[in-house]
Amino acid sequence: MTYLITGGAGFIGSNFIFHMLEAHPEDRIVCVDKLTYAGNLATLEPVLDNPRFRFVRMDICDREAVMALFREEKPEVVVNFAAESHVDRSIENPGVFLETNILGTGVLMDASRAAGVARYHQVSTDEVYGDLPLDRPDLFFTEETPLHTSSPYSSSKAAADLLALSYHRTFGLPVTISRCSNNYGPYQFPEKLIPLMISNCLHDRPLPVYGEGLNVRDWLYVEDHCIAIDRILQDGRVGQVYNVGGHNEMRNIDIVRLICRELGKPVSLITYVTDRKGHDMRYAIDPAKIHAELGWLPQTRFADGIVATIHWYLEHRDWWESILSGAYRETNEALSVRV
Ligand SMILES: NC(=O)c1ccc[n+]([C@@H]2O[C@H](COP(=O)([O-])OP(=O)(O)OC[C@H]3O[C@@H](n4cnc5c(N)ncnc54)[C@H](O)[C@@H]3O)[C@@H](O)[C@H]2O)c1
């Protein structure tokens, strides 16, 4: 069986590739990634020579190239992680979010239709539901919660979800969608909250926290997300949405304080900065559906996962320092030539 996985040089996609190569030793993976600023091919270096793995540098918006690759590889399963994923960047420059996240998804689904894939899986986000008030801890996002987006990022992801569901209904494309809460773990680009705070701490730089840091996110260890997508691919029902996450809610400020404590740095490094425009207050997933249908629940408690993550960044300083210095771009060029 051949899986075509897009965005595999990014955070979650790379973790998913490692998971799938190990969990499915009979299967092959073709990874498609444009290597934008968020793609780091050094992450995939350990598997570049694996005969069950192929890396293709390609923009998912490049219709002709994508169609040709699907004709050549004939994938049975497509998992689309490729996206512009940073909310702040979507506020600065929405255009590229519409191109990759919406048009790119459309191209992949057209290619999937033409190739007659057995499954097209769209990796989405709980941000499509908007946010919940802080004073209603009893409320959670279910798959029935109306889409109510706040940022150009979440709007582009919601548009892609609707497009995917329409391809299922109109063309019979065997689509599944997962909407996951905030991920953390190894190989996350150091512009996102947790790796940003760890790397700034280790450089004794200020730790910029939006507003008062009271925003709540439902944190999921990336390996748990990978297992959830694998379960959906194996036994999920086509045409269905599955929420992924659950009951690991943390306030941003508490995470930053925890990182300071774990790294032995003073909380005086924390600086409060003007809040993000349209900043969502609370996300919280109800995972009842994926638990009941597929037996999935998160396995890693936040208290354990965050310590493991901090230690991973301590032990892989070269990985994130090369991103901060920009050296990873040269590595991307060199490794792209090799594959
Ligand atoms: N990180 C989270 O907490 C989180 C939570 C829920 C859902 N998601 C979703 O999961 C997916 C992966 O997120 P991530 O955090 O790993 O993102 P990321 O930014 O780390 O990685 C994105 C990858 O996609 C590639 N890419 C971007 N545009 C492309 C294009 N046009 N063609 C081909 N490749 C392209 C990049 O080079 C990069 O390797 C996204 O769809 C995101 O919306 C992320």
Side-chain angles (χ1 to χ4, degrees), residues 193 197 200-201 204-213 252-261 265-273:
L193 181 77
M197 295 302 157
N200 278 15
C201 251
D204 295 307
R205 289 188 188 135
L207 307 175
V209 170
Y210 279 129
E212 295 174 75
N252 288 350
I253 187 65
D254 295 329
I255 294 182
V256 179
R257 288 198 184 119
L258 190 158
I259 291 171
C260 288
R261 202 167 53 241
K265 302 288 181 180
V267 290
S268 56
L269 284 176
I270 296 173
T271 56
Y272 295 94
V273 299

Coordinates of all heavy atoms in Angstrom, one line a residue, residues 193 197 200-201 204-213 252-261 265-273:
L193 N 4.2 28.6 20.2 CA 4.4 28.9 21.6 C 5.4 28.1 22.4 O 6.4 28.7 23.0 CB 3.0 28.8 22.4 CG 3.1 29.2 23.9 CD1 3.1 30.7 24.0 CD2 1.9 28.6 24.6
M197 N 9.1 29.5 23.4 CA 9.5 29.8 24.8 C 10.7 29.0 25.3 O 11.5 29.6 26.0 CB 8.3 29.5 25.8 CG 7.1 30.4 25.5 SD 7.4 32.2 25.6 CE 6.2 32.9 24.6
N200 N 13.8 30.7 23.5 CA 14.1 32.0 24.1 C 14.7 31.9 25.5 O 15.6 32.6 25.9 CB 12.8 32.9 24.2 CG 12.6 33.6 22.8 OD1 13.1 33.2 21.8 ND2 11.7 34.6 22.8
C201 N 14.1 31.0 26.3 CA 14.6 30.7 27.7 C 16.1 30.3 27.6 O 16.9 30.8 28.4 CB 13.8 29.5 28.3 SG 12.7 29.9 29.6
D204 N 18.2 33.1 27.2 CA 17.9 34.2 28.2 C 17.3 35.4 27.5 O 17.6 36.6 27.9 CB 19.2 34.6 28.9 CG 19.7 33.4 29.8 OD1 18.9 32.9 30.6 OD2 20.9 33.0 29.6
R205 N 16.4 35.2 26.6 CA 15.7 36.3 25.9 C 14.3 36.4 26.5 O 13.8 35.5 27.1 CB 15.6 36.0 24.4 CG 16.9 36.0 23.6 CD 16.6 35.9 22.1 NE 17.9 35.8 21.4 CZ 18.2 34.9 20.5 NH1 17.2 34.0 20.1 NH2 19.3 34.8 19.9
P206 N 13.7 37.6 26.3 CA 12.4 37.8 26.8 C 11.4 36.8 26.3 O 11.5 36.3 25.2 CB 12.0 39.2 26.3 CG 13.3 39.9 26.0 CD 14.2 38.8 25.6
L207 N 10.4 36.5 27.1 CA 9.4 35.5 26.7 C 8.1 36.2 26.4 O 7.3 36.6 27.4 CB 9.2 34.5 27.8 CG 10.4 33.8 28.3 CD1 10.2 32.9 29.6 CD2 11.1 33.0 27.2
P208 N 7.8 36.5 25.2 CA 6.6 37.4 24.8 C 5.3 36.6 25.0 O 5.1 35.6 24.3 CB 6.8 37.8 23.4 CG 7.7 36.7 22.8 CD 8.5 36.1 23.9
V209 N 4.4 37.1 25.9 CA 3.1 36.4 26.1 C 2.0 37.4 25.7 O 2.0 38.6 26.2 CB 3.0 36.1 27.6 CG1 1.6 35.6 28.0 CG2 4.0 35.0 28.0
Y210 N 1.1 36.9 24.9 CA 0.0 37.8 24.4 C -0.9 38.1 25.6 O -1.3 37.3 26.4 CB -0.8 37.1 23.4 CG -0.2 37.1 22.0 CD1 -0.1 36.0 21.2 CD2 0.2 38.4 21.4 CE1 0.5 36.0 20.0 CE2 0.7 38.4 20.1 CZ 0.8 37.2 19.4 OH 1.3 37.3 18.1
G211 N -1.4 39.4 25.6 CA -2.3 39.9 26.6 C -1.9 39.5 28.0 O -0.7 39.8 28.4
E212 N -2.7 38.8 28.8 CA -2.4 38.4 30.2 C -2.0 36.9 30.2 O -1.8 36.4 31.3 CB -3.5 38.7 31.1 CG -3.8 40.2 31.3 CD -5.1 40.4 32.1 OE1 -5.0 40.2 33.4 OE2 -6.1 40.7 31.6
G213 N -2.0 36.3 29.0 CA -1.6 34.9 29.0 C -2.7 34.0 29.5 O -2.5 32.8 29.9
N252 N -1.9 29.7 28.7 CA -0.6 30.0 28.1 C 0.4 30.4 29.2 O 1.5 29.9 29.2 CB -0.7 31.1 27.1 CG -1.4 30.6 25.8 OD1 -1.6 29.4 25.6 ND2 -1.7 31.6 24.9
I253 N 0.0 31.2 30.1 CA 0.9 31.8 31.1 C 1.4 30.6 32.0 O 2.6 30.6 32.4 CB 0.2 32.9 31.9 CG1 1.2 33.5 32.9 CG2 -1.0 32.4 32.7 CD1 2.3 34.3 32.1
D254 N 0.6 29.6 32.3 CA 1.0 28.5 33.1 C 2.0 27.7 32.4 O 3.0 27.1 33.0 CB -0.2 27.7 33.6 CG -1.1 28.5 34.5 OD1 -0.6 29.4 35.2 OD2 -2.4 28.3 34.4
I255 N 1.9 27.5 31.1 CA 2.9 26.8 30.3 C 4.2 27.5 30.3 O 5.3 26.9 30.5 CB 2.4 26.6 28.9 CG1 1.1 25.7 28.8 CG2 3.5 26.0 28.0 CD1 0.6 25.4 27.4
V256 N 4.2 28.8 30.2 CA 5.4 29.6 30.1 C 6.1 29.5 31.5 O 7.3 29.3 31.6 CB 5.2 31.0 29.7 CG1 6.5 31.8 29.6 CG2 4.5 31.0 28.3
R257 N 5.3 29.6 32.5 CA 5.9 29.5 33.9 C 6.5 28.1 34.1 O 7.6 28.0 34.7 CB 4.9 29.8 35.0 CG 4.5 31.2 35.0 CD 3.8 31.6 36.3 NE 3.3 32.9 36.3 CZ 2.0 33.3 36.4 NH1 1.1 32.4 36.6 NH2 1.7 34.6 36.4
L258 N 5.8 27.1 33.6 CA 6.3 25.7 33.8 C 7.7 25.5 33.1 O 8.6 24.9 33.6 CB 5.3 24.8 33.2 CG 5.3 23.3 33.5 CD1 4.0 22.7 33.3 CD2 6.3 22.6 32.5
I259 N 7.7 26.1 31.9 CA 9.0 26.0 31.1 C 10.1 26.7 31.8 O 11.2 26.1 31.9 CB 8.8 26.6 29.6 CG1 7.8 25.6 28.9 CG2 10.1 26.7 28.9 CD1 7.4 26.2 27.5
C260 N 9.9 27.9 32.4 CA 10.9 28.6 33.1 C 11.4 27.7 34.3 O 12.6 27.6 34.5 CB 10.3 29.9 33.7 SG 10.0 31.2 32.5
R261 N 10.4 27.1 35.0 CA 10.8 26.3 36.2 C 11.6 25.1 35.8 O 12.7 24.9 36.4 CB 9.4 25.9 36.8 CG 9.6 25.5 38.3 CD 8.3 25.3 39.0 NE 7.3 24.4 38.4 CZ 6.1 24.8 37.9 NH1 5.7 26.0 38.0 NH2 5.3 23.9 37.3
K265 N 15.0 29.0 34.8 CA 15.1 30.4 34.4 C 14.1 31.2 35.2 O 13.0 30.7 35.5 CB 14.8 30.5 32.9 CG 15.8 29.7 32.0 CD 17.2 30.3 32.0 CE 18.1 29.5 31.2 NZ 19.4 30.1 31.1
P266 N 14.4 32.5 35.4 CA 13.5 33.4 36.2 C 12.2 33.8 35.4 O 12.3 34.0 34.2 CB 14.3 34.6 36.5 CG 15.3 34.7 35.4 CD 15.6 33.3 35.0
V267 N 11.1 33.8 36.1 CA 9.8 34.2 35.4 C 9.9 35.7 35.0 O 9.0 36.2 34.3 CB 8.6 33.9 36.3 CG1 8.3 32.5 36.4 CG2 8.7 34.6 37.6
S268 N 10.9 36.4 35.5 CA 11.0 37.8 35.1 C 11.4 38.0 33.6 O 11.3 39.1 33.1 CB 12.1 38.5 36.0 OG 13.3 37.8 35.8
L269 N 11.7 36.9 33.0 CA 11.9 36.9 31.5 C 10.6 37.1 30.8 O 10.5 37.5 29.6 CB 12.5 35.6 31.0 CG 14.0 35.3 31.3 CD1 14.4 33.9 30.8 CD2 14.9 36.4 30.5
I270 N 9.5 36.8 31.5 CA 8.1 37.0 30.8 C 7.8 38.4 30.6 O 7.9 39.3 31.5 CB 7.0 36.3 31.7 CG1 7.3 34.8 31.8 CG2 5.6 36.6 31.1 CD1 6.3 34.1 32.8
T271 N 7.5 38.8 29.3 CA 7.0 40.1 29.0 C 5.7 40.0 28.3 O 5.5 39.2 27.4 CB 8.0 40.8 28.0 OG1 8.1 40.1 26.8 CG2 9.3 41.1 28.6
Y272 N 4.7 40.9 28.8 CA 3.4 40.8 28.2 C 3.3 41.8 27.1 O 3.7 42.9 27.2 CB 2.4 41.2 29.3 CG 2.4 40.2 30.4 CD1 3.2 40.3 31.6 CD2 1.6 39.0 30.3 CE1 3.2 39.4 32.6 CE2 1.6 38.0 31.3 CZ 2.4 38.2 32.4 OH 2.4 37.3 33.4
V273 N 2.8 41.2 25.9 CA 2.8 42.1 24.7 C 1.3 42.2 24.2 O 0.5 41.4 24.6 CB 3.6 41.4 23.5 CG1 5.1 41.3 24.0 CG2 3.1 40.1 23.1

